[in-house]
Amino acid sequence: MSDAPTPLFRMPIALRWRDLDAFNHVNNSNFMTYLEEARIRWFDSLGEAWVTDTTAPLLAAVQMNYRVPIPYPANVVVELGCERLGTSSVTLSHRIVGEDGTPLYADGNVVMVWIDRATGRPTPLPDAVRRAAGG
């Protein structure tokens, strides 16, 4: 998609045989696992605390467009971008693409909200996340 934000993070993934379903392509539930792994690795790459004993991110919303099935074997790349920065949330775009950027297998976004673990109420985004996302 031409309107995709510039990636903040790219993570290659080599597919596993176990990722396939009865139709011999990657099961749709594994797309979410790939995205989760990319988000965690991006957060960890920041080199600063993004989760603490008192605050943590929660997945508040997920939107996924399945464009074409991912065949096996294949190597794919998950790309993350920032669509929106809020006070306590960040909306991350995601794309799953082939190694060279095509085809586009899936795209969409997730909303991550940071909460106070004791109260369950929203809390400000960690500074490291805000800076890394362009804020």
Side-chain angles (χ1 to χ4, degrees):
M1 287 178 53
S2 59
D3 60 346
T6 301
L8 297 170
F9 186 77
R10 297 182 86 241
M11 185 185 84
I13 296 175
L15 302 184
R16 303 164 302 183
W17 176 257
R18 69 177 298 263
D19 294 345
L20 303 181
D21 61 17
F23 301 109
N24 208 33
H25 54 66
V26 174
N27 185 279
N28 64 327
S29 64
N30 286 314
F31 286 54
M32 295 295 185
T33 301
Y34 301 160
L35 299 176
E36 177 185 54
E37 186 69 24
R39 286 191 308 270
I40 297 303
R41 290 195 187 192
W42 178 60
F43 292 142
D44 281 346
S45 78
L46 302 180
E48 295 180 50
W50 56 274
V51 63
T52 67
D53 291 340
T54 57
T55 64
L58 291 180
L59 192 61
V62 176
Q63 193 269 324
M64 177 74 82
N65 302 306
Y66 297 95
R67 303 296 182 179
V68 295
I70 302 175
Y72 181 89
N75 292 313
V76 300
V77 175
V78 175
E79 298 178 343
L80 301 178
C82 181
E83 287 186 1
R84 181 183 173 281
L85 273 173
T87 303
S88 61
S89 68
V90 60
T91 302
L92 296 174
S93 65
H94 53 244
R95 293 171 20 107
I96 301 175
V97 297
E99 287 180 293
D100 65 356
T102 61
L104 173 62
Y105 295 113
D107 62 355
N109 61 50
V110 298
V111 178
M112 304 289 301
V113 177
W114 265 256
I115 62 151
D116 179 297
R117 290 179 185 234
T119 65
R121 302 292 307 152
T123 191
L125 279 176
D127 289 339
V129 172
R130 181 169 299 285
R131 280 193 309 275

